[in-house]
Amino acid sequence: MSLKAVIAETRAYYCLECGICTGTCPVSRHNPAYSPRAMVEGALLFDEGETLCADDLWSCLTCGTCNLRCPSTVDYTAFMAALRGKARALGREGTCTHAETLTALAALQTVKDFRKPRAWLGEGAKVRTKGSTYYFSGCLPYLDVVFREIGFRGRAVGNASVRLLNAAGIVPAVSEQEVCCGHDSYWTGDAGIVDYFARRNIAAIKKTGAKRVVFSCP
Ligand code: SF4
Ligand code: SF4
C-alpha cells in the first residue's frame, strides 16, 4: 500500500493538528519528544523515506488511547501498523520489548510440527477434540515464564477458564494444532506471520466442528 493510501485509509488526512493525541499519549508523557501529532504531520508533509526512517515509528505502544480521543477519528494504531509494515519491507525494524521474547515465541510457533499438548490445562479441566464450543488459549501456557516477575499464572488462567465452562455445562473442544494469534507480530508490522497464524488457527478450529470460540488469551 502506498503512503498516500495509508493516509487515506486511516483518515490521517483529516488531522486537525489539535494535539489531543499527544496530550493523551502515555509515551509522550514519559518522553515529551514523542508526538503522534508530529508523526501524522510528518507523513503528510515529508517524503516517504523520512517518515519510514523515523526512530519514533517504533515508540508507539499501539494502546489506542489516541484513537479514542481524536476528534477527526484518525485511526492512529492502524496508521502505525501500516507504516511499520512498509518500514519492515525496507529492512528497518524497531527494538522489541522483553528482549524480543514475545516475537521469538511467535516465530517458534511457525514450525510446521509445533504442537500444544492438551495436558497443560491441568487437573479438573475437561476438554475434548470435537464440539460446538472451542476454547482458544493462544500463548497463555507460555507466558508464566515471560511474566514471572509479576507473578502471572497463565496456566492457572487456562485451567480456571475451562473449569468455568465445565461448570456451565460446556466441555469445550481444544486443538493441539492451535498457534499464537499473532497479536504482537501484527503491531510490529509483520502482517505475513499474522496471515499464516490465522490460516492455521482457522483450519485447527474448523476440524473440531466448533461454531463458536471462547477466548481467555491475555
Ligand atoms: S487527536 Fe487526531 S486530529 Fe488531533 S492532532 Fe491527533 S491525530 Fe490529529
Ligand atoms: S496508540 Fe501510540 S500514539 Fe496513541 S496514545 Fe497509545 S502509545 Fe500513544
Side-chain angles (χ1 to χ4, degrees), residues 128-144:
R128 51 185 167 182
T129 52
K130 292 204 181 289
S132 59
T133 300
Y134 184 89
Y135 171 61
F136 183 91
S137 59
C139 294
L140 201 51
Y142 317 116
L143 297 180
D144 295 29

Side-chain angles (χ1 to χ4, degrees), residues 21 28 48 53 58 63-64 90 117-118 130 135 148 158 170 177 179 191-192:
C21 50
S28 301
E48 184 162 330
C53 288
W58 307 98
C63 69
L90 296 174
R118 273 188 292 276
K130 292 204 181 289
Y135 171 61
R148 62 178 168 244
I170 298 165
Q177 306 299 325
V179 286

